[in-house]
Amino acid sequence: MLSRSSFNLLNLEDYSCVGDRARIPRIMTVPGILTEFEEDNIAGHGETETDQVSDVVSSVTPERRIIVANQLPVKAHRDGETNKWVFELDPDALVLQLKSGFGPDVECVYVGSLPADIEPSEQEEVAQTLLDKFRCVPTFLSQEIQNKFYHGFCKHYLWPLFHYMLPVTLTHGVRFDRVAWQAYVSANKVFADKVMEVINPDEDYVWIHDYHLMVMPTFLRKRFHRVRVGFFLHSPFPSSEIYRTLPVRDEILRALLNCDLIGFHTFDYARHFLSCCSRMFGLDYKSKRGYIGLEYYGRTVSIKILPVGIHMGQIESVKSSIKTAKKVQELKKKYEGKLVILGVDDMDMFKGISLKFLAMGQLLEDYPSLRGTVVLIQIVNPARSRGHDIQEVEHETRKVAHEVNQRFSQDGYEPIVFVNGPVSTQDKVAYYAISECVVVNAVRDGMNLVPYKYTVSRQGSPELDKALGIDGNESKDRKSVIIVSEFIGCSPSLSGAIRVNPWNIDSVTEAMSLAITMPDNEKKLRHEKHYKYVSSHDVGYWAKSFDQDLERACKEHFHKRCWGVGFGLGFRVVALGFNFRKLSVEHIVSSYKKTNSRLILLDYDGTVMPQASVDKTPSKEVISILNVLSGDPKNVVFIVSGRGKDSLSKWFDSCKNLGLSAEHGWLTRWSGDSEWETCGGLAVDADWKKVALPVMEHYTQATDGSCIEQKESALVWHHQEADPDFGTWQAKELLDHLESVLANEPVVVKRGQQIVEVNPQGVSKGAVVESLITNMQSRGKPLDFVLCIGDDRSDEEMFEKIASLVVNPSLRGIAEVFACTVGQKPSMAKYYLDDTVDVIKMLHGLEAASSQVPKSSGLGVSFETSV
């Protein structure tokens, strides 16, 4: 096995020899680092010794997940006496809680940064302590990189943009900074390097979390082409109009596509991501048996849609605590006779706290009877970033609260109560327990688990019931009301919540009034619905579901060969079947020279003519090549195209020996002097066009940028110039519409590359191939060479037909068969060429070989017969 240090990550490499790859042991000389010497040593040993090492390792840790997040799930502080760092696990950390979804035999290794600045002289000792005690691998970023990466690019640029806030002016947000972006990339590289130190790429799964690490998958995929990588985005993914304003939009999107599975909280977020892939890269998703996937250079990138849940065990444990009960008693006494509405939010610009306060003021204005009774308690968690925008939000929030309190306060009554954080989970549960309603009023939020925690807390416990003075009969009637913004991730899952537009103050006010006056029975029903969902869709359920989908997404990894292509953040892996390889010019020319009865079939658009060309007239170079090839008496050369006969006749008028097949095989002529013949000698029956054409015209009028192409045998609706999303949508509708109205007609309706086409039954490029080959074989001069090249779905019919004919016992075996697709993509063909440039280069090779052979009587155009 090659030493990993010898891999050139920017060149095309084939790592198809799966059986020869040694496993990387988890027993390391230096913690977290596998030396090249050890790796080469293992690779050099025989099969038995390698198996022995593998058996020992797997018996200790049979499965492992590497969880990567911006911050490790630990708390850190210095011991006052020893001045040493002291660490403990953070039970509130999501990446720690998700372990509950894995089996007891799964080991989790955590990679991330620490919530403290560690001096360089202490880093080695700290890293060893964290690895030994907590299975944590810290990433030590310099203070400069950390500030530019996290506070600069992540929190002040990327995070606002993902929450739909564009820096339109210098005073409204932070604009793109190339230096901050470079720090973001550098930080992602550090995280990736730490993963590479501990990963066994053939067995471990890597799960990356959130927008801080969106380009990290590219670094991992460069190093290990078959690495198993999942990514979950905990923030919103903005609409394509917002995302495409990113100057580095391509780099980030391609990096995400280097994952095997990408997770989102809601369908909206996933839909926006898929729309970006479609509009920017022309990638269309497919849904199969409930799974959504994107085909990307031979790999399938799966899409997961499932909102995260809470850790039920943690909340239940806190509810059972005596300390929590005491806090509940204290709060109950403090707010005796008051109806408590609760808010729990971070101090940031998107949580809508000031809008919530305005609604509270409006409530007291519109309903005077509620003054002195209703209290809004707002718990404010510390801001996760710093800067002028945070200061502005805090100032505005306190100003609005002060104005409402100044206007409606009474002796012993303050309508808005600020509780400055941090507030412990224990105290928050106590506040949840005494609150009749919780208001989550964010103008945009990725998920927000406050309503889930509130619901579980309101379910109560014997300890809380006692503290609240609830007897046995009342304990059965649990009640809760949730007011939730329609712009946050948890909203779709809370079907019993009162959904509001946070920008509409009147709407939020009415929701508060409804929550206060709602009958107890309705509160009970809403609570039961929410509790049933939250308790069954906890963080463990979410983690297990994601992990299972990640395993499913990676199961084909070692069934394909992989090549790395591209530079920098444009890197991606091309995954192809073991029998699918690039067509070598030398190989085909060698076979070409040895054969005497050849059939060459060429598609036109996308094969010898680039798809992007505006002028579709063939170049002099192409005409010259075709004249030489078709002039060789050992060759029969055909252009097999979907285009009409008039265009093909005009373009190839100077190629007298060239055969043409137009309209996907409906019309065929064997040479320039031959007559056009219909498929099977059938006459054109155009009655169905009277039905189909008005339908297509209707969709053309309704879809800007679309058009209709009328052929002798077919009708084609093109939408390549239409809006990508709308065009695809309309194409699906048109397909269904045409299949319905043409159900009893002798035609076939099918989708193509940005087209919907209606053809007569039995007409296809595959039928052309079958007819040509069988006719030539029946003439007593069997073929010994077939070359077929195409680029789209219709050409797959040719490849499939050739494959079936080759193994047909009724036909004599064809010695050399070259079915070749244009572009590296899944195909029925066994060969590929990258683009039209490669096709022309290959044809030049055949042209040169034909030019060297003296002409004599042969096969030329002697097979004119009906097809």
Side-chain angles (χ1 to χ4, degrees):
M1 187 180 90
L2 288 172
S3 167
R4 296 216 191 277
S5 62
S6 69
F7 287 359
N8 184 340
L9 296 172
L10 298 180
N11 291 336
L12 291 178
E13 303 265 12
D14 180 8
Y15 307 121
S16 58
C17 303
V18 179
D20 296 331
R21 299 186 61 173
R23 296 178 55 188
I24 299 178
R26 297 194 177 98
I27 301 170
M28 306 169 188
T29 306
V30 179
I33 300 175
L34 175 69
T35 66
E36 292 291 335
F37 172 77
E38 288 172 301
E39 201 171 44
D40 292 340
N41 227 3
I42 294 166
H45 283 315
E47 183 178 347
T48 304
E49 290 190 42
T50 303
D51 288 347
Q52 288 174 350
V53 173
S54 299
D55 289 342
V56 171
V57 174
S58 63
S59 65
V60 178
T61 51
E63 290 188 65
R64 191 164 67 161
R65 304 293 182 266
I66 299 176
I67 312 298
V68 192
N70 178 52
Q71 198 165 94
L72 288 172
V74 296
K75 297 178 180 179
H77 68 273
R78 280 194 183 275
D79 186 278
E81 296 181 1
T82 64
N83 202 35
K84 294 282 188 180
W85 283 104
V86 177
F87 302 98
E88 61 179 325
L89 289 174
D90 181 2
D92 294 329
L94 175 66
V95 292
L96 182 65
Q97 295 175 350
L98 63 81
K99 192 178 187 304
S100 62
F102 302 144
D105 57 339
V106 176
E107 176 194 5
C108 287
V109 177
Y110 302 95
V111 177
S113 60
L114 282 168
D117 295 328
I118 310 297
E119 293 295 327
S121 60
E122 301 174 293
Q123 288 178 2
E124 184 175 348
E125 180 183 355
V126 166
Q128 187 65 57
T129 300
L130 289 170
L131 183 64
D132 292 343
K133 290 187 176 181
F134 307 114
R135 308 304 295 156
C136 289
V137 180
T139 56
F140 298 111
L141 301 177
S142 68
Q143 194 64 43
E144 181 183 9
I145 292 293
Q146 174 68 17
N147 286 334
K148 291 177 180 176
F149 153 64
Y150 183 75
H151 297 291
F153 193 77
C154 287
K155 296 304 291 185
H156 283 100
Y157 181 72
L158 204 57
W159 186 73
L161 189 142
F162 272 43
H163 287 73
Y164 289 74
M165 177 179 154
L166 293 174
V168 179
T169 65
L170 293 175
T171 58
H172 185 75
V174 177
R175 290 184 176 173
F176 178 78
D177 181 358
R178 182 67 60 177
V179 175
W181 161 247
Q182 290 169 350
Y184 180 85
V185 174
S186 298
N188 276 245
K189 177 71 164 58
V190 171
F191 278 78
D193 289 343
K194 288 297 180 182
V195 171
M196 292 174 198
E197 290 179 4
V198 297
I199 191 174
N200 181 340
D202 292 347
E203 294 185 1
D204 297 341
Y205 290 83
V206 182
W207 187 357
I208 304 169
H209 290 265
D210 224 2
Y211 65 97
H212 314 90
L213 303 170
M214 288 196 294
V215 300
M216 183 183 166
T218 291
F219 294 113
L220 294 178
R221 189 68 67 187
K222 270 187 182 180
R223 186 68 171 85
F224 305 114
H225 289 358
R226 291 188 177 89
V227 66
R228 300 169 168 97
V229 182
F231 178 91
F232 198 94
L233 183 67
H234 293 274
S235 78
F237 194 95
S239 66
S240 63
E241 289 79 7
I242 298 293
Y243 179 81
R244 284 183 287 136
T245 64
L246 265 171
V248 288
R249 61 189 189 181
D250 284 10
E251 291 88 335
I252 291 176
L253 200 60
R254 288 198 185 279
L256 291 175
L257 289 170
N258 275 322
C259 296
D260 297 295
L261 177 66
I262 306 172
F264 301 93
H265 287 305
T266 72
F267 173 70
D268 273 351
Y269 303 161
R271 179 169 55 87
H272 295 157
F273 173 79
L274 293 170
S275 176
C276 287
C277 292
S278 173
R279 290 175 178 273
M280 293 169 57
F281 300 148
L283 302 176
D284 292 326
Y285 72 90
K286 294 181 180 179
S287 183
K288 184 178 181 182
R289 295 181 179 178
Y291 296 107
I292 300 174
L294 285 164
E295 290 297 325
Y296 185 63
Y297 291 94
R299 295 172 48 249
T300 299
V301 181
S302 298
I303 306 299
K304 175 76 172 177
I305 303 169
L306 184 66
V308 70
I310 62 172
H311 194 292
M312 288 292 294
Q314 182 198 27
I315 303 296
E316 294 294 347
S317 176
V318 172
K319 288 195 302 181
S320 301
S321 168
I322 300 300
K323 291 183 179 179
T324 307
K326 289 183 178 179
K327 183 66 177 180
V328 168
Q329 286 179 330
E330 175 189 324
L331 293 174
K332 184 174 181 294
K333 182 178 180 181
K334 182 176 181 179
Y335 295 102
E336 190 72 41
K338 302 291 191 295
L339 192 149
V340 177
I341 298 175
L342 182 67
V344 182
D345 301 281
D346 294 345
M347 179 56 75
D348 72 52
M349 67 187 82
F350 297 110
K351 291 302 186 284
I353 301 175
S354 60
L355 297 175
K356 189 189 306 181
F357 290 173
L358 289 172
M360 179 64 180
Q362 187 69 38
L363 178 73
L364 298 178
E365 176 71 29
D366 294 347
Y367 302 93
S369 60
L370 298 178
R371 298 173 191 174
T373 302
V374 177
V375 176
L376 171 59
I377 301 176
Q378 179 63 54
I379 297 175
V380 181
N381 301 320
R384 300 188 186 186
S385 185
R386 56 177 183 262
H388 181 65
D389 54 344
I390 298 297
Q391 295 173 1
E392 283 188 345
V393 170
E394 187 171 3
H395 174 74
E396 180 190 357
T397 301
R398 294 190 179 278
K399 180 183 176 184
V400 174
H402 176 72
E403 290 173 352
V404 173
N405 284 339
Q406 191 175 39
R407 185 173 180 187
F408 298 106
S409 289
Q410 303 172 6
D411 289 339
Y413 170 70
E414 192 175 45
I416 297 177
V417 178
F418 252 111
V419 180
N420 290 310
V423 176
S424 67
T425 301
Q426 180 178 288
D427 285 359
K428 285 179 182 175
V429 169
Y431 277 103
Y432 291 140
I434 68 161
S435 302
E436 283 295 310
C437 172
V438 71
V439 182
V440 183
N441 203 51
V443 297
R444 187 77 61 179
D445 207 351
M447 183 59 192
N448 201 310
L449 295 174
V450 167
Y452 289 9
K453 295 176 181 178
Y454 167 72
T455 299
V456 177
S457 299
R458 290 288 289 180
Q459 185 67 12
S461 69
E463 291 78 10
L464 292 186
D465 291 348
K466 184 178 179 181
L468 290 168
I470 299 176
D471 60 30
N473 293 327
E474 290 178 308
S475 65
K476 298 177 183 178
D477 299 327
R478 306 297 184 179
K479 300 175 295 183
S480 65
V481 183
I482 299 171
I483 298 174
V484 64
S485 164
E486 62 189 67
F487 301 120
I488 64 178
C490 66
S491 177
S493 62
L494 297 170
S495 57
I498 304 172
R499 296 192 181 98
V500 295
N501 173 5
W503 298 102
N504 187 341
I505 305 301
D506 291 338
S507 171
V508 181
T509 299
E510 288 304 313
M512 289 180 173
S513 174
L514 176 62
I516 293 168
T517 59
M518 185 180 293
D520 286 349
N521 189 52
E522 186 175 346
K523 291 181 181 180
K524 176 187 173 184
L525 292 174
R526 290 174 184 258
H527 173 82
E528 287 175 351
K529 178 183 287 190
H530 290 156
Y531 184 76
K532 182 178 180 181
Y533 175 85
V534 173
S535 59
S536 60
H537 292 73
D538 63 353
V539 67
Y541 173 88
W542 170 76
K544 181 179 180 180
S545 180
F546 187 92
D547 191 62
Q548 288 174 341
D549 278 11
L550 181 57
E551 288 187 13
R552 180 190 56 80
C554 299
K555 67 180 180 181
E556 298 293 327
H557 272 203
F558 291 98
H559 295 171
K560 295 182 179 180
R561 295 183 301 158
C562 295
W563 286 271
V565 297
F567 296 91
L569 292 176
F571 177 88
R572 63 265 188 201
V573 164
V574 177
L576 305 172
F578 285 107
N579 296 323
F580 190 57
R581 54 191 180 276
K582 189 167 185 176
L583 181 58
S584 164
V585 176
E586 293 77 12
H587 175 49
I588 192 172
V589 169
S590 174
S591 299
Y592 184 86
K593 289 178 178 179
K594 297 175 184 177
T595 52
N596 297 295
S597 178
R598 314 183 190 110
L599 176 62
I600 300 174
L601 305 170
L602 304 173
D603 176 44
Y604 186 66
D605 293 284
T607 301
V608 295
M609 172 59 62
Q611 286 282 12
S613 296
V614 177
D615 183 4
K616 296 296 183 179
T617 305
S619 65
K620 292 181 180 179
E621 180 185 24
V622 170
I623 294 294
S624 174
I625 292 172
L626 293 176
N627 270 324
V628 171
L629 292 178
S630 61
D632 188 329
K634 297 181 180 180
N635 295 343
V636 172
V637 183
F638 264 82
I639 294 290
V640 184
S641 172
R643 288 190 174 272
K645 68 174 185 178
D646 294 338
S647 297
L648 294 178
S649 298
K650 177 182 177 182
W651 290 341
F652 297 104
D653 181 60
S654 60
C655 301
K656 299 303 181 183
N657 294 323
L658 180 68
L660 297 176
S661 184
E663 300 188 18
H664 295 303
W666 171 252
L667 293 165
T668 301
R669 77 175 192 192
W670 282 73
S671 69
D673 299 328
S674 303
E675 295 295 325
W676 287 95
E677 301 169 348
T678 60
C679 179
L682 299 174
V684 179
D685 179 9
D687 288 346
W688 60 268
K689 288 186 178 181
K690 297 176 183 178
V691 179
L693 187 59
V695 176
M696 283 191 173
E697 288 175 342
H698 169 72
Y699 280 83
T700 302
Q701 293 171 3
T703 313
D704 189 35
S706 65
C707 63
I708 300 171
E709 179 186 2
Q710 296 196 45
K711 301 178 181 179
E712 185 173 323
S713 68
L715 290 176
V716 186
W717 188 75
H718 296 266
H719 62 91
Q720 61 264 37
E721 301 298 329
D723 177 271
D725 289 336
F726 186 54
T728 301
W729 181 13
Q730 290 288 78
K732 292 177 182 177
E733 291 293 319
L734 175 59
L735 182 72
D736 290 342
H737 197 157
L738 288 173
E739 286 179 339
S740 175
V741 299
L742 298 174
N744 298 319
E745 299 290 343
V747 295
V748 176
V749 186
K750 54 188 176 181
R751 286 280 303 276
Q753 193 167 355
Q754 297 180 319
I755 64 169
V756 175
E757 189 166 14
V758 185
N759 287 312
Q761 287 178 351
V763 176
S764 70
K765 288 187 177 183
V768 173
V769 172
E770 182 177 20
S771 180
L772 291 175
I773 291 178
T774 53
N775 271 288
M776 293 181 72
Q777 295 280 55
S778 66
R779 289 286 179 166
K781 294 183 178 179
L783 293 168
D784 52 13
F785 178 98
V786 174
L787 169 63
C788 179
I789 310 178
D791 75 303
D792 66 12
R793 295 180 189 177
S794 64
D795 301 309
E796 292 297 317
E797 297 170 348
M798 289 198 291
F799 305 147
E800 187 174 6
K801 182 58 66 176
I802 287 174
S804 65
L805 290 174
V806 167
V807 297
N808 190 336
S810 64
L811 297 174
R812 299 181 186 180
I814 302 173
E816 301 289 349
V817 177
F818 297 92
C820 179
T821 188
V822 181
Q824 298 172 347
K825 58 181 182 290
S827 172
M828 291 293 294
K830 289 188 176 181
Y831 297 93
Y832 74 90
L833 290 169
D834 288 325
D835 48 33
T836 55
V837 175
D838 274 3
V839 174
I840 299 301
K841 179 182 176 182
M842 184 272 298
L843 292 177
H844 270 307
L846 301 185
E847 176 192 24
S850 281
S851 299
Q852 297 169 6
V853 179
K855 295 184 179 180
S856 61
S857 61
L859 301 174
V861 294
S862 60
F863 297 107
E864 294 183 22
T865 184
S866 174
V867 295

